[in-house]
Amino acid sequence: RLAKADGIAIHRYSNADSRAAGQRLKLVPAIRENIACDAFNLLYQPKIDLATMQPMGCEALLRWPSDRGPVVPVMTLIEVAENSRQIAPLTRWVVQAILSQEQDWQARGLPRHMAVNISARLIQDRHFISELQGLLASSTGYFQFEFEITETALMSSRDLAIELASSLSQTGSTLAIDDFGTGYSSLAYLKDLNASILKIDKSFVTNIDDSRDNQTIVRSTIKMAHELGMQVVAEGIETAADERFLLSLGCDFGQGYHYAKPLPVDELEQWLTKFESQAQTPRHLSDLQP
Ligand code: C2E
Ligand code: MG
Ligand code: MG
Ligand code: MG
């Protein structure tokens, strides 16, 4: 009876498994088509300078088009693109889509500081890196690009990452270490990358006042990052309490639902107008109870 129950469980599992695999397989041509038809969307999530409470830029986040079949979560999209040799064309689409808006953003006075996520796979792709350099070189230079690469990606190919960082700095772009704290590496190990920004993963930031451990981790990370000459972004600031805590720890920048969700460009513009008009009083460390 047990064996039979096991058999059924295994059977069901593998059925669901192959269904998921089949669905992923269907995504391969769908991704190709969405790139070819310029159908993907980008949303922009603002980042706030916590010392002045002014918006300082935004992060571009990819979205599956809502009118082309069931919406695919971005993590699945990236994973399938990585495994079907489409991550380079997809990322090229992202950068080109941003660059095609240069004049529009400049005319509307939208933020110049633009963070773009780069998948782990692309660190090893020299062809892509030189293509990226070419794209950036042909732009008007309105956008100041910051490329976000996850800590885990940087750890697994550190020498390539050092090369990448130096190619990026030749184009005037900078490097940010994304999702820091989830990869268990030390900052000392990553410091040769000359990354200018460290983004602390939201798992340590959201509800930080509930976790002494997270407070300790974030406090010492910020201190060490500053001593290594890096600035720190906290992602996942969801409440005023999260904001207050991060401010009291000396965090430089904040990003999260407390300020804004990732927004389409028109909503970003409205959000910026509203946020900037709400006479933001700069907060000072002395006003805060740690
Ligand atoms: P990420 O780069 O760490 O981006 C931050 C994620 O946190 C975004 O999820 C954002 O919507 C979400 N987020 C922002 N504020 C909050 C908050 O206050 N609370 C919570 N719970 N979440 C918040 P999203 O847009 O679903 O993207 C997920 C991941 O997908 C990104 O994580 C990034 O790794 C990847 N991704 C997104 N766009 C691209 C892209 O163009 N290229 C590549 N390679 N990866 C991308
Ligand atoms: Mg990111
Ligand atoms: Mg992140
Ligand atoms: Mg993250």
Side-chain angles (χ1 to χ4, degrees):
R1 282 187 66 156
L2 258 180
K4 195 176 167 195
D6 272 348
I8 289 166
I10 287 165
H11 182 68
R12 279 194 185 138
Y13 176 76
S14 64
N15 246 348
D17 224 36
S18 64
R19 207 176 313 122
Q23 275 159 358
R24 283 175 179 233
L25 216 58
K26 282 191 204 155
L27 290 182
V28 174
I31 293 173
R32 193 171 301 125
E33 201 177 297
N34 287 339
I35 295 172
C37 302
D38 207 18
F40 280 114
N41 290 321
L42 286 174
L43 297 181
Y44 305 92
Q45 186 177 36
K47 282 192 234 176
I48 283 47
D49 182 332
L50 293 174
T52 61
M53 283 296 153
Q54 291 301 310
M56 55 78 63
C58 56
E59 176 176 6
L61 294 156
L62 191 60
R63 289 295 181 267
W64 190 267
S66 56
D67 55 351
R68 286 182 172 241
V71 169
V72 177
V74 61
M75 296 297 260
T76 310
L77 164 60
I78 297 299
E79 197 189 310
V80 175
E82 282 177 344
N83 294 326
S84 60
R85 297 163 157 266
Q86 297 192 84
I87 191 65
L90 183 60
T91 309
R92 193 190 311 128
W93 180 87
V94 171
V95 175
Q96 280 173 331
I98 293 167
L99 288 176
S100 72
Q101 301 178 75
E102 248 176 345
Q103 286 171 349
D104 185 41
W105 281 52
Q106 184 163 16
R108 292 157 83 169
L110 293 170
R112 303 183 67 170
H113 181 100
M114 178 68 74
V116 173
N117 292 283
I118 298 285
S119 152
R121 289 287 172 94
L122 287 176
I123 296 184
Q124 309 167 37
D125 187 339
R126 287 208 169 78
H127 181 70
F128 172 78
I129 301 303
S130 62
E131 218 173 44
L132 181 63
Q133 283 180 300
L135 281 176
L136 297 175
S138 70
S139 73
T140 70
Y142 182 70
F143 288 120
Q144 291 158 358
F145 282 99
E146 180 176 292
F147 293 100
E148 300 192 357
I149 303 185
T150 60
E151 176 196 6
T152 10
L154 293 172
M155 255 174 22
S156 56
S157 25
R158 187 164 161 267
D159 291 345
L160 285 168
I162 291 173
E163 251 180 71
L164 170 72
S166 79
S167 335
L168 289 180
S169 70
Q170 286 166 27
T171 67
S173 317
T174 53
L175 181 69
I177 301 173
D178 206 351
D179 298 349
F180 186 78
T182 55
Y184 310 103
S185 63
S186 73
L187 261 182
Y189 182 74
L190 295 170
K191 76 172 186 331
D192 295 340
L193 300 173
N194 294 317
S196 37
I197 297 276
L198 191 76
K199 291 191 83 173
I200 301 180
D201 192 69
K202 56 180 176 285
S203 59
F204 302 97
V205 173
T206 308
N207 299 325
I208 189 169
D209 46 352
D210 289 346
S211 166
R212 282 249 165 192
D213 288 348
N214 287 350
Q215 290 161 25
T216 306
I217 293 166
V218 172
R219 182 183 297 111
S220 50
T221 302
I222 292 173
K223 185 165 182 281
M224 211 179 333
H226 283 168
E227 281 169 9
L228 292 170
M230 305 169 83
Q231 289 185 299
V232 181
V233 181
E235 56 170 41
I237 296 190
E238 293 191 356
T239 61
D242 293 342
E243 176 189 73
R244 213 171 312 122
F245 221 107
L246 270 300
L247 255 170
S248 76
L249 297 180
C251 188
D252 305 286
F253 308 110
Q255 187 179 350
Y257 300 160
H258 177 58
Y259 308 105
K261 294 180 303 183
L263 302 168
V265 61
D266 290 342
E267 285 176 43
L268 174 74
E269 189 176 30
Q270 287 162 22
W271 180 90
L272 285 164
T273 310
K274 201 172 147 207
F275 193 85
E276 280 160 355
S277 72
Q278 286 168 349
Q280 300 289 327
T281 38
R283 295 175 211 186
H284 298 286
L285 290 181
S286 53
D287 301 337
L288 298 160
Q289 312 278 345

